[in-house]
Every structure is written in C-alpha cells, then in structure tokens.
Amino acid sequence: GSVELALTILSLRDQVIAPTVNLRDPDPACDLNFVVGRARRQAIRTAVSNRYTLPSDRATGYEEKPASA
C-alpha cells in the first residue's frame, strides 16, 4: 500500500513512468500505450494507484500534480 503510493508520488514528481512488469512482448492488436523494458520520461498530471491486501481490502489513491509544480 504505502510503497505503491510513494512510487506513484515519485513518478509525478520526476515525470517518469515505470515499465510494465513482466511485459516483454505486447500483443500488437492491443492498442494500449505500454511502457516496455525501461522507464520513460513523459509529462504526467494525474496518477492512480490501486492497492489490494488480504483478505480482501482494497484502496485506490488518486494523485494530481499541482498546476504550479
């Protein structure tokens, strides 16, 4: 929970998107903007972090970069 939230906030601060874990060969028919292999610099204004814990607790964090930052 807190680790994922911290990484989400750092992504917003540093404007870097981490690669999708274990994705090496995306399906070309799937029209999504995956980050494969290495992190990518990109302008980020908002981010969502989903957290799941056992037995079945769930939380979603929505972070937004301030306009002045």
Side-chain angles (χ1 to χ4, degrees):
S2 58
V3 173
E4 291 88 353
L5 179 60
L7 292 173
T8 302
I9 292 169
L10 289 173
S11 288
L12 282 170
R13 183 192 73 183
D14 299 338
Q15 298 292 284
V16 174
I17 302 172
T20 303
V21 176
N22 296 324
L23 180 63
R24 292 181 188 88
D25 188 23
D27 184 344
C30 186
D31 188 25
L32 293 175
N33 188 7
F34 294 111
V35 179
V36 181
R38 334 176 26 169
R40 177 173 69 207
R41 288 199 156 282
Q42 185 168 330
I44 306 169
R45 258 193 64 210
T46 57
V48 174
S49 175
N50 293 310
R51 296 176 280 287
Y52 305 96
T53 60
L54 294 175
S56 62
D57 298 331
R58 295 178 190 95
T60 298
Y62 173 85
E63 282 56 76
E64 186 168 355
K65 184 176 179 179
S68 62

